[in-house]
Amino acid sequence: MDIKNAQLEVDNWIKNHGVRYFNELTNMAQLTEEVGEVARIIARRYGEQSEKESDKNKDLGEELADVMFVVLCLANQTGIDLQDAFDKKLDIKTKRDHDRHHNNEKLK
């Protein structure tokens, strides 16, 4: 599914299962919370923090999907065509960073 269709799916979900979108500030707080859950898993599973027993069954994919869902909500409610924005960003990064990382000694 492309981003444009994902935005439509989220909008349809909100219309059919939600009451309405949370306001933008609430969704921003919710996004921060979801990113924190991703960070917790990464820090414990792949970083140097010890993983608590209660964290071992956490699904990183599910938490990343939560982040995506809220990002798509924010894009919908602020009138952003995220597919277009992403395509433009990828083009900018491709032009700007084409050779940049090839010469990075830290990545060798």
Side-chain angles (χ1 to χ4, degrees):
M1 173 184 316
D2 62 16
I3 298 171
K4 187 173 285 293
N5 284 326
Q7 279 189 254
L8 290 171
E9 285 288 322
V10 167
D11 193 58
N12 286 333
W13 189 91
I14 295 292
K15 289 174 180 171
N16 292 313
H17 301 286
V19 175
R20 62 171 175 77
Y21 285 95
F22 294 130
N23 68 38
E24 295 84 353
L25 288 174
T26 300
N27 272 336
M28 186 63 231
Q30 190 173 2
L31 177 60
T32 302
E33 179 183 340
E34 297 300 349
V35 169
E37 291 176 16
V38 169
R40 181 184 182 104
I41 293 170
I42 296 288
R44 286 169 169 75
R45 196 164 297 160
Y46 303 100
E48 295 176 338
Q49 286 189 330
S50 299
E51 191 167 28
K52 295 179 180 178
E53 198 60 40
S54 60
D55 292 332
K56 290 185 178 178
N57 291 325
K58 302 273 182 177
D59 183 342
L60 180 58
E62 183 179 332
E63 298 305 333
L64 288 168
D66 285 341
V67 169
M68 280 185 57
F69 187 90
V70 180
V71 167
L72 293 167
C73 285
L74 283 165
N76 284 347
Q77 67 192 135
T78 58
I80 302 296
D81 179 338
L82 204 52
Q83 183 71 62
D84 183 56
F86 182 81
D87 291 344
K88 286 177 184 174
K89 178 55 69 177
L90 194 56
D91 186 54
I92 289 168
K93 289 180 76 59
T94 299
K95 290 174 183 169
R96 182 189 67 202
D97 298 337
H98 177 70
D99 293 322
R100 176 177 168 206
H101 300 296
H102 292 282
N103 299 321
N104 185 342
E105 290 297 320
K106 297 175 190 175
L107 298 176
K108 293 184 180 188

